[in-house]
Amino acid sequence: MKEISTNVLIGKNKFAKLITFPSVFILIITVVGPFAFLLYASFFDWNLTVPAPPRFAWFYNFGLVFKDLRFWNAFKNTSVLMIAGIITQSILGLIIAFLLNRNFRLKKLAITIIALPIMVTPVVLGFNWRIIYHEHFGPLNYIIRLLGGAGSSWIADPKLALFSIFLVDTWQWTPFVTLILLAGLQSIPRQVYEAADVDGATGWQTFRRVTLPLLRPMFVLVVLFRTIWIFKIFDPVYILTGGGPGIATETLSLYTYVSWVKYWRVGYTSALGIVQLIIMTIIAMIFVRKIMRRRRA
Amino acid sequence: MNRNDKKYQEFRKKERKRKINNLLQNLLLTFFVVLFAFPIYWIFIGAFKQKGEFFHYPPIFLANQFKFDNFTRALTLGGSKGVTDSLIVACIGTLLVIILALFTGYGMGRFKCGGQNLSFFVLSLLFLPPIIAVLPLFIIFKYLRIVDSYIALIWSYFLINLPFAIWLIKGFIEDLPEEIESAALVDGYSRFRAFWKVTFPLIIPGVVVSALFVFVFAWNEFLFALMFTRSNVRTLPVVLSELIGGHGIQWGELSALSLVAIIPGVLLVVFFQKYLVRGLTFGAVKG
């Protein structure tokens, strides 16, 4: 046996490095170069619509970002989507996961149908919900009117537009939360419930003291993944409202896009990017630690 | 007898309660299933609606006829270019990503090559908001004069898909015991042959799943396609978004194209549902 393991070790490093290298090389030139540029540009007063050459300006752009009300508006919108989305999707997801975690005919079919929204092209989603939200001819208002409501202009009303985006996000991602929580529920051994039953626990007590604590790791994943994805939400917003009406639904990604494509502010947009990068790095570090710890265990 | 009767009554009561409970749960579940299926049904039905049927009150919930003229018209409105370009970008991109990721995933999974630092680097790329990469990549592509080309798009998709595929394949390799390769090495196989003849066949399912995910991500991707292409390359999401933004939205044609656009994603969910959670959580949930 000893011989085998030394045999395995021989030439291991060279071969391993050789096969690992190509993608790492590609990733580095794709990432490191651009980010060095981003960092560099963020220190310059640099605007493509102004003929003046870029001027080194220290932290001028970062100051602008933090004084920019439109940035804070985008920050607020993104945070609202994040918090409302995570809470709603966790609760709904848990309910549906419980409903699915029983024995019944057509179980597989039900799971498949519920999982469908996850992989729908985001652009299609935006377009499709525009029809559904249509003030006069959309099915949503039709159903609301059938139930006695008046119907609303979902995406044109500044007070409702962000809520409409939240609904679309919830429609697409509750299934994802459901699947994760369902996997969590299925991994709880039956004996645990039997033990709780023997101890005379009521249904609610079992849920509160047994199921929820055992689902905790899954909830951690849900929160972190949803945080990451909502943080970069772009496509559905772009198609549904384009950030409007006004800037009522502008998210961080959308504002960065506008600041680049509409105003060609290289320096400012770079600073905006760096700020988002820092926020994301902090979130990612929490997450990476968690994943790596689990891997080692 | 009396006691037994009482017990029996209690049992029946419990049983009835359980049945009612079950029925209510089934009803609630049905409600949710309809809720999640409805928008997808709406795309489907829209693809077969005639022009006036979109602007009809009450809305039309059933198709009157299954004619494909929306599809044929959509193809002439840029749809065929969109489908072709999406296929080119997604297929070539997937092939390259999978070949690269297979080797790197093997190096990282089997030999711990690069250690924690490389793992951290790859994983953190998965969290990157793509919008941040748009500006610097655009300037680099401009400098290299490859804006609006297949190369630019395929290259930029590496940023999203390569870390994803590496991480997933690495996980599949870590699931395999090392001993199966040691045995082959003892038999005089070279390192590469041991990988190709022993390990690779065992992770084929994992590779296929990774490839499908990568394909769907590339197929669905919008932001990079919007930024890095103009007229030479026009993927399906870009074509769709332009039709949406255009004057007098062509709802029928758009719905038909939308239906085409969601096919890969829907197929992935239907046939590889088992791997859906694992893929989307980058292997954190094996479920």
Side-chain angles (χ1 to χ4, degrees):
Chain A
M1 268 323 269
K2 195 124 204 198
E3 235 172 308
I4 296 171
S5 47
T6 41
N7 197 349
V8 172
L9 283 171
I10 291 171
K12 155 183 158 168
N13 284 327
K14 214 169 133 197
F15 177 74
K17 274 182 190 150
L18 194 71
I19 57 169
T20 310
F21 181 70
S23 344
V24 176
F25 175 73
I26 289 181
L27 286 178
I28 285 177
I29 57 166
T30 316
V31 174
V32 177
F35 286 97
F37 173 83
L38 204 65
L39 196 61
Y40 170 81
S42 68
F43 288 107
F44 283 83
D45 184 8
W46 184 354
N47 192 328
L48 291 186
T49 56
V50 175
R55 187 175 57 83
F56 187 74
W58 289 106
F59 291 98
Y60 171 71
N61 287 315
F62 291 94
L64 279 188
V65 170
F66 289 114
K67 273 186 281 179
D68 186 356
L69 289 180
R70 207 165 160 183
F71 164 76
W72 289 111
N73 170 68
F75 186 82
K76 188 205 81 195
N77 285 341
T78 311
S79 312
V80 168
L81 282 178
M82 212 180 260
I83 294 165
I86 290 173
I87 293 174
T88 316
Q89 290 157 26
S90 298
I91 295 173
L92 266 182
L94 186 64
I95 294 173
I96 303 173
F98 261 104
L99 293 174
L100 286 172
N101 193 29
R102 302 173 300 146
N103 285 321
F104 56 94
R105 267 178 301 162
L106 305 177
K107 181 172 171 173
K108 270 199 100 166
L109 182 69
I111 297 180
T112 305
I113 291 177
I114 284 183
L116 280 179
I118 300 175
M119 282 296 174
V120 171
T121 318
V123 172
V124 170
L125 205 71
F127 157 68
N128 188 43
W129 278 84
R130 258 170 84 149
I131 310 182
I132 294 175
Y133 280 144
H134 197 283
E135 198 178 346
H136 305 298
F137 306 107
L140 184 59
N141 273 350
Y142 172 70
I143 291 166
I144 288 176
R145 282 179 198 132
L146 275 189
L147 298 172
S152 330
S153 50
W154 294 92
I155 50 178
D157 183 345
K159 286 198 199 92
L160 265 181
L162 195 62
F163 178 73
S164 307
I165 304 265
F166 153 80
L167 273 190
V168 175
D169 184 68
T170 298
W171 177 78
Q172 186 172 32
W173 292 108
T174 302
F176 166 74
V177 178
T178 305
L179 289 185
I180 291 191
L181 295 180
L182 183 62
L185 283 177
Q186 282 167 345
S187 71
I188 300 175
R190 184 193 293 245
Q191 287 92 320
V192 176
Y193 290 116
E194 279 165 7
D197 203 35
V198 167
D199 289 344
T202 62
W204 171 251
Q205 277 173 331
T206 314
F207 171 72
R208 183 74 187 63
R209 309 268 159 160
V210 178
T211 316
L212 272 190
L214 286 172
L215 280 182
R216 213 189 113 94
M218 296 302 181
F219 274 113
V220 170
L221 284 181
V222 164
V223 171
L224 284 157
F225 273 102
R226 291 309 296 135
T227 309
I228 289 154
W229 285 334
I230 300 181
F231 191 82
K232 54 186 176 192
I233 188 167
F234 178 85
D235 308 6
V237 189
Y238 178 90
I239 301 289
L240 260 176
T241 64
I247 51 169
T249 57
E250 202 166 68
T251 59
L252 281 174
S253 286
L254 208 73
Y255 180 44
T256 315
Y257 169 81
V258 170
S259 142
W260 168 233
V261 169
K262 250 198 177 149
Y263 305 114
W264 300 100
R265 296 183 288 187
V266 179
Y268 182 80
T269 311
S270 301
L272 210 53
I274 296 282
V275 170
Q276 289 174 69
L277 194 65
I278 292 170
I279 303 175
M280 211 56 238
T281 309
I282 295 169
I283 300 174
M285 264 161 73
I286 302 170
F287 182 54
V288 167
R289 278 226 188 97
K290 279 226 150 69
I291 274 200
M292 282 190 166
R293 204 178 298 151
R294 182 164 318 170
R295 274 293 158 92
R296 243 178 279 140
Chain B
M1 196 60 193
N2 228 348
R3 247 185 81 189
N4 268 350
D5 228 3
K6 210 173 171 188
K7 253 192 182 167
Y8 180 66
Q9 288 291 338
E10 223 166 65
F11 172 75
R12 274 197 50 183
K13 213 170 151 190
K14 250 191 175 170
E15 190 64 4
R16 205 180 317 138
K17 209 175 150 195
R18 203 185 61 81
K19 266 192 178 151
I20 292 174
N21 219 333
N22 216 12
L23 185 73
L24 285 179
Q25 289 187 359
N26 282 342
L27 279 177
L28 192 59
L29 184 62
T30 313
F31 169 74
F32 279 123
V33 168
V34 170
L35 203 66
F36 285 107
F38 179 75
I40 292 171
Y41 171 72
W42 205 249
I43 300 172
F44 177 78
I45 214 77
F48 297 100
K49 279 185 183 170
Q50 301 308 306
K51 235 182 182 126
E53 291 180 320
F54 280 95
F55 304 104
H56 187 278
Y57 195 87
I60 296 168
F61 284 84
L62 293 166
N64 289 324
Q65 46 193 343
F66 285 100
K67 284 203 292 193
F68 285 86
D69 39 355
N70 278 334
F71 290 86
T72 44
R73 271 201 308 275
L75 288 180
T76 60
L77 280 171
S80 57
K81 172 81 174 150
V83 173
T84 323
D85 281 1
S86 276
L87 274 177
I88 292 174
V89 171
C91 287
I92 298 179
T94 305
L95 193 69
L96 293 176
V97 162
I98 289 302
I99 293 172
L100 287 165
L102 190 58
F103 288 116
T104 305
Y106 183 61
M108 287 173 71
R110 181 57 77 232
F111 305 107
K112 306 281 165 250
C113 191
Q116 291 244 348
N117 290 336
L118 186 56
S119 291
F120 189 88
F121 173 65
V122 172
L123 200 51
S124 55
L125 287 183
L126 289 169
F127 302 129
L128 206 75
I131 188 77
I132 299 176
V134 161
L135 186 150
L137 279 180
F138 184 84
I139 288 175
I140 289 176
F141 291 159
K142 186 121 196 158
Y143 180 76
L144 296 174
R145 292 165 197 276
I146 54 169
V147 174
D148 199 15
S149 70
Y150 294 111
I151 300 173
L153 215 47
I154 290 170
W155 185 1
S156 64
Y157 287 172
F158 278 161
L159 196 60
I160 307 170
N161 281 335
L162 199 48
F164 172 81
I166 291 175
W167 199 258
L168 217 56
I169 290 177
K170 170 177 171 288
F172 282 113
I173 284 169
E174 280 167 350
D175 286 351
L176 291 179
E178 201 172 338
E179 284 73 32
I180 51 166
E181 272 173 52
S182 319
L185 289 177
V186 170
D187 286 350
Y189 276 45
S190 73
R191 261 277 160 218
F192 183 77
R193 227 175 125 211
F195 165 68
W196 191 244
K197 292 277 175 192
V198 179
T199 309
F200 181 67
L202 290 173
I203 56 161
I204 284 180
V207 173
V208 169
V209 169
S210 312
L212 290 170
F213 267 103
V214 167
F215 181 88
V216 173
F217 288 158
W219 175 273
N220 282 353
E221 207 282 337
F222 176 58
L223 179 59
F224 285 171
L226 177 72
M227 293 300 301
F228 302 143
T229 62
R230 299 280 173 275
S231 53
N232 286 335
V233 182
R234 292 162 56 79
T235 62
L236 205 45
V238 173
V239 172
L240 282 169
S241 95
E242 268 167 29
L243 283 177
I244 295 165
H247 295 290
I249 304 182
Q250 280 131 325
W251 300 95
E253 289 79 353
L254 256 169
S255 297
L257 261 193
S258 298
L259 192 58
V260 174
I262 64 171
I263 289 173
V266 167
L267 290 181
L268 179 64
V269 171
V270 170
F271 292 109
F272 292 87
Q273 193 214 89
K274 209 178 112 197
Y275 294 97
L276 206 57
V277 177
R278 182 169 181 160
L280 286 168
T281 58
F282 315 141
V285 179
K286 297 261 161 91

